[in-house]
Amino acid sequence: MHPNAATLRLAVLPRAGILADAILVLGGALFVALAAQISISLGFTPVPITGQTFAVVVVGAALGSIRGATSLALYLLLGLLGAPVYSEHKHGWHVFSGATGGYIVGFVLAALLIGYLAERGWDKQVSSSVSAMLTGSVVIYLCGNIWLHHVLHASWNTTLTYGLYPFVPGDIFKLYLAGVALPAAWKLVQRVKGAE
């Protein structure tokens, strides 16, 4: 190989890798934004049922710790800057600082943790991948309910009634659905990386 060709190849490959990572990060953020629009208000709580948690755990497991957390941080930032990516096309500081802001912060931490566990082999079987996703969901609930407790100035019993109990059955279903969907997500990630 000609020396100049080798130099050119070394110069282009890292950029191609960065481009693929950028596409995956942006795609993950948009996937969560789309899932956020699947939203059902329960009436008695400011926290709606959404498709976000499903998307967050899939993104974390499929993209890994760094890309997954970056993707969710981008989602958070887009909403803060005015893009209608939060549930019901909401956006802005007033949404982030309101009752559901803790869940959005929890999404970033959950994606980081799920991605970390996936990188250590927890994504090899449906049962272990669901366990990794469940661990991430606990982080989402922890951040969301601490934040909700602070915003509402409510008792812990009221906070958990508004921010945890109604969502557990649906989220268990979403975890198993995410475990089943994960192989398709891996294939999509590999196709993007293969297009480098």
Side-chain angles (χ1 to χ4, degrees):
M1 180 182 291
H2 192 277
N4 288 340
T7 304
L8 179 63
R9 186 174 172 216
L10 288 173
V12 170
L13 282 179
R15 290 191 183 132
I18 290 170
L19 178 60
D21 286 343
I23 291 169
L24 290 170
V25 165
L26 178 60
L30 294 178
F31 178 50
V32 175
L34 182 64
Q37 307 320 311
I38 303 169
S39 180
I40 302 169
S41 175
L42 297 178
F44 66 90
T45 171
V47 182
I49 294 173
T50 72
Q52 285 166 301
T53 48
F54 167 79
V56 168
V57 298
V58 170
V59 167
L63 298 189
S65 58
I66 301 303
R67 286 184 305 211
T70 303
S71 186
L72 271 298
L74 176 61
Y75 169 77
L76 186 161
L77 183 61
L78 288 172
L80 277 177
L81 294 176
V85 295
Y86 299 152
S87 65
E88 300 172 344
H89 299 288
K90 293 179 181 174
H91 56 84
W93 177 254
H94 69 286
V95 176
F96 179 75
S97 61
T100 58
Y103 296 95
I104 299 170
V105 172
F107 294 161
V108 180
L109 300 177
L112 179 67
L113 177 58
I114 294 166
Y116 174 84
L117 294 174
E119 289 162 357
R120 277 143 189 83
W122 285 47
D123 62 345
K124 300 304 180 198
Q125 297 178 348
V126 171
S127 59
S128 59
S129 65
V130 168
S131 296
M133 294 172 183
L134 176 60
T135 305
S137 293
V138 170
V139 170
I140 295 171
Y141 279 130
L142 188 62
C143 293
N145 281 275
I146 290 172
W147 192 295
L148 186 63
H149 176 71
H150 174 73
V151 169
L152 297 181
H153 304 288
S155 69
W156 276 109
N157 186 53
T158 299
T159 299
L160 296 176
T161 300
Y162 286 0
L164 175 64
Y165 302 145
F167 306 98
V168 171
D171 276 357
I172 290 172
F173 171 74
K174 285 185 275 186
L175 288 176
Y176 281 97
L177 187 62
V180 171
L182 190 55
W186 290 328
K187 287 180 183 176
L188 183 59
V189 169
Q190 290 307 314
R191 284 183 64 184
V192 172
K193 290 171 72 176
E196 295 174 9

